[in-house]
Amino acid sequence: MTEALKLAVVGHTNVGKTSLLRTLTRDIGFGEVSHRPSTTRHVEGARLSVDGEPLLELYDTPGLEDAIALLDYLERLERPGERLDGPARTARFLDGSEARQRFEQEAKVLRQLLASEAGLYVIDAREPVLAKYKDELAVLAGCGKPLLPVLNFVAQPGHRDEEWRQALARLGLHALVRFDSVAPPVDGERRLYESLALLLEQARPKLQRLIEDHEAQAAARLASGQRLIAELLVDVAACRRSVAAQPELERGAIRELHDAVRRREQRCVEALLRLYAFRQDDAAASDLPLLDGRWGDDLFNPETLKQLGVKIGGGMAAGAAAGAGVDLMVGGITLGAAALLGAIAGGGAQTARHYGNRLLGKLKGQRELSVDDAVLRLLALRQRQLLAVLATRGHAATEAIRLGTPQDQGWREGKLPEALQRCRAHPEWSSLNPGARLQNGERQTALDELQAELRQG
């Protein structure tokens, strides 16, 4: 087995080195991210593997704090008549007492860079180009290792991308990568690894495997997220509650149905966060709308649906004034009992199984509750929006997720997928109903169709 490629992540203090590593490793707990300077005091490593083979080792290093003084010190290390190259001068410095005292943090950085094949020099692109950064690059160049500048936080307002490009070009560093550890571009890692491959041709096969594995995992996560949403929608569309036609009992059953759907959506939220390796409180902002880790806006409040532009019609229009948000499937039965039972029997065993108990319940004064289409629309809209945000969120992000008004016209106003309409007739497809048969082949087909709809729209 070949050795992994070693990269030192270096740069000034508090420019986002640990943040970059969190995003590259998808490890929200890697190191410590803080606005305080000098948060990282020791070298910390992480390994990226594919199929059990280690391909890349990334080393987080302390921030360079006094490169101006260190560069001046290095220039005075040469003895009369000597002409030391960069690595020799750096080695002499590391052997001296100042590397263990005054410049202890800088020495840790240089030792790790010397032990690595290359370095990622992280720059906070919002900062002006100052002399101290140029001195840092001069000190690092003394290690004789390739350096790839990474312009971090380029998705943030006020960045100085072009200023840094020009400054780095004057220093002979023409290859660089624009990145953002909080909101990384979709192809950010591909471009970073491809740029590294230009500097380290012998490492190209390893880096290409990392690129392919990263993209395959991203596609698999997205498909899994769409499946989770499809399962939520099927569970809610097929959910039914039967209750005696008495006002107090009806109100209690509606409250229970509301709570069941809220809990089911919360499970989907938590599953999506786990899928993308985020913490539960990363989606705990009231603007989501989430409150204390729970979805704050009432799914069944007509005003919520109105504010989000969800089309309201049918049973919802009639029930909105009462705030029910569910269809009360009552009335409209004109057949006598005998004719109705005959129709059920004539439909065969499957018809009797799916509809017999429900229709007989109506004849006995039972009312059947189900969730309205408008609620299904809202569930789909905000779960799809949450999935899209998670797919592009960096693991260095510290602010909670905030979602705006969904702009998906198809799910807001278009016809709901036919697969969801079929679910209405199959209460056994919902995990929220007693006696659910979740491995049913027809249910799996409906899930496949719905997942395809979510993928397209």
Side-chain angles (χ1 to χ4, degrees), residues 421-438:
Q421 303 295 350
R422 294 205 308 276
C423 293
R424 296 294 200 186
H426 293 278
E428 75 278 8
W429 290 0
S430 175
S431 67
L432 302 178
N433 295 332
R437 297 199 296 274
L438 304 184

Side-chain angles (χ1 to χ4, degrees), residues 260-294:
V261 173
R262 290 189 187 99
R263 290 192 298 269
R264 181 62 184 87
E265 187 192 21
Q266 180 63 26
R267 292 201 301 273
C268 184
V269 171
E270 293 169 358
L272 287 173
L273 290 169
R274 286 194 301 272
L275 177 64
Y276 280 86
F278 289 107
R279 301 187 183 100
Q280 183 174 340
D281 58 7
D282 284 330
S286 58
D287 291 345
L288 210 133
L290 277 175
L291 183 61
D292 298 329
R294 312 293 299 184

Side-chain angles (χ1 to χ4, degrees), residues 50-233:
V50 175
D51 297 331
E53 181 180 354
L55 298 179
L56 180 62
E57 291 178 0
L58 295 155
Y59 293 92
D60 193 12
T61 63
L64 295 167
E65 296 177 353
D66 199 0
I68 295 174
L70 177 55
L71 183 60
D72 181 63
Y73 178 77
L74 289 171
E75 290 173 347
R76 291 187 279 107
L77 280 178
E78 290 187 359
R79 303 180 183 112
E82 280 188 325
R83 280 187 173 272
L84 299 177
D85 61 16
R89 190 169 59 177
T90 301
R92 179 172 291 178
F93 157 67
L94 293 174
D95 288 339
S97 60
E98 290 292 273
R100 297 183 295 276
Q101 299 173 20
R102 179 184 175 188
F103 299 114
E104 180 184 11
Q105 294 303 309
E106 285 78 6
K108 291 176 182 177
V109 177
L110 297 179
R111 285 195 183 95
Q112 186 56 58
L113 183 54
L114 285 170
S116 304
E117 277 80 14
L120 299 178
Y121 180 71
V122 183
I123 298 165
D124 185 341
R126 300 168 297 186
E127 291 289 310
V129 181
L130 302 176
K132 61 182 180 181
Y133 300 124
K134 298 176 183 179
D135 288 345
E136 286 175 2
L137 286 165
V139 169
L140 295 169
C143 292
K145 298 298 176 109
L147 283 176
L148 177 65
V150 179
L151 297 180
N152 199 11
F153 304 123
V154 292
Q156 312 305 311
H159 67 77
R160 303 168 184 262
D161 181 355
E162 191 55 37
E163 292 178 33
W164 276 106
R165 285 177 177 273
Q166 294 175 12
L168 291 167
R170 286 195 293 270
L171 295 172
L173 295 169
H174 298 278
L176 58 84
V177 173
R178 297 177 76 256
F179 203 80
D180 194 295
S181 52
V182 174
V186 175
D187 61 343
E189 291 185 44
R190 167 179 280 277
R191 288 191 282 112
L192 189 150
Y193 293 141
E194 287 177 345
S195 297
L196 274 172
L198 294 175
L199 300 178
L200 300 167
E201 183 62 34
Q202 73 280 6
R204 183 177 293 277
K206 295 177 184 175
L207 295 169
Q208 184 60 38
R209 283 191 67 193
L210 277 175
I211 290 171
E212 293 170 358
D213 182 69
H214 162 68
E215 294 179 349
Q217 286 191 36
R221 279 192 297 272
L222 185 60
S224 296
Q226 292 161 344
R227 189 71 172 192
L228 288 170
I229 298 173
E231 290 172 345
L232 165 68
L233 295 176

